[in-house]
Amino acid sequence: MNVLNEWTALACKELGVDPARVDRDLILDLTKDVAHGVARPAAPLTAYLLGLAEGAGTAPQDAVARLKTLAANWGEATAQTLTGD
């Protein structure tokens, strides 16, 4: 078992999360996109926010897709925020 598999299994056990519900590759892909498209510190924050959204009932696949789109369009999104458009 590699370190990432072991960490995922142990963290899930510690938190009472079913490891079958964790799409680790999807999360890693999302955080990579955010780290490169927005800022490196935004990646763990995004993973946390994704967890909050899922806990509030948002479908994980939907939330990931929305966050990936936001990261891909980060420059445009911040220009709109700064100009109020």
Side-chain angles (χ1 to χ4, degrees):
M1 184 179 275
N2 72 32
V3 172
L4 198 50
N5 287 341
E6 189 172 345
W7 171 254
T8 302
L10 290 173
C12 284
K13 182 178 179 182
E14 183 69 24
L15 298 174
V17 172
D18 178 3
R21 292 189 61 215
V22 178
D23 188 340
R24 188 184 67 221
D25 293 336
L26 182 71
I27 302 305
L28 292 175
D29 188 47
L30 168 64
T31 56
K32 176 191 67 152
D33 289 350
V34 171
H36 291 120
V38 180
R40 188 169 301 276
L45 176 59
T46 300
Y48 176 75
L49 295 172
L50 177 63
L52 290 176
E54 185 176 350
T58 302
Q61 296 286 355
D62 178 52
V64 168
R66 292 167 55 193
L67 290 168
K68 285 176 78 69
T69 298
L70 181 61
N73 298 317
W74 177 242
E76 181 182 320
T78 56
Q80 291 176 356
T81 301
L82 294 175
T83 62
D85 293 341

